[in-house]
Amino acid sequence: MKKGIENNSEYIISMNGISSGYDDKIILENLNFNVKPSEIITVIGGSGSGKSTLLKTIMRFCRIFSGELIIDGERIDHLRESNLYHVRQKMGMVFQGAALFDSMTVFENVAFPLAEKRLFGKKEIKEKVIQVLEQLGMIDARDSFPDELSGGMQKRAGLARALVEKPSIILYDEPTSGLDPIMAGYVNEMIYSTREDFGVTSVVVSHDMPSVFAFSDRISAIFNNTIIQTGTPDEIMNSEIEEVHEFIHSIKTLDN
């Protein structure tokens, strides 16, 4: 399914020696993580290893104690909260449970981030929402409520909401969690086709090993709150690092 990505020395996300966390507690320590434009990179690791904190650090929703965080060529680790809006506009997030509003239709859910910012009129919002729903093949579900959708379609609605602001980076937190193998495969294709159709860079946090090896260009393994290896799926599958090898093969054993 995958095709090779171009060799590009310029990173759209660059985390150099990052230590981050919440309040006075450090979660990630001396972490290095670099992502190429239009790449699909997946972060794996055990529960509590800091995978979700990594995504929140990219969005600057965590405190950064030290290190450099560069997004699309701009260093942002030192920016104040009031100066982060333009950076966060470049990023969209698809949450583990899709995080849709139950009382809103698909159309209303997708329109929500545009309406909340009050930067567009109703006509322009409608045009933008319809465009992204059509691109994702969801236009027929525009008037449906979340509980009327399958798990896979809920994920797609969550993606539509993330894409409506035309970000260059999409962050996925456990996108196949709770889905059966057929639906998980559907979501895998969604992640891949989104990269192909929209040209976005994708950072995926997942413990679903079949999915990870299906769509990733590269995989980063995080253990003890820092990344200890990044490589192609083949390199990670055949890793000689003990923690990575044991994690990959223990998960494969559980899956079987």
Side-chain angles (χ1 to χ4, degrees), residues 120-134:
F120 307 100
K122 290 184 178 180
K123 182 179 179 181
E124 191 172 359
I125 290 175
K126 182 178 180 180
E127 290 173 351
K128 289 177 179 291
V129 173
I130 288 176
Q131 181 183 38
V132 74
L133 289 177
E134 286 179 340

Side-chain angles (χ1 to χ4, degrees), residues 11-15 33-35 58 69-72 169 203:
Y11 297 116
I12 191 169
I13 301 172
S14 188
M15 304 175 76
F33 181 69
N34 297 298
V35 186
I58 292 172
L69 172 59
I70 301 170
I71 302 295
D72 198 18
I169 299 167
V203 181

Side-chain angles (χ1 to χ4, degrees), residues 32-34 41-45 54 218-222 227-231 236:
N32 297 300
F33 181 69
N34 297 298
I41 187 165
T42 303
V43 181
I44 63 171
L54 175 70
R218 290 190 302 148
I219 300 168
S220 287
I222 184 169
I227 288 175
I228 61 174
Q229 185 178 12
T230 297
I236 296 297

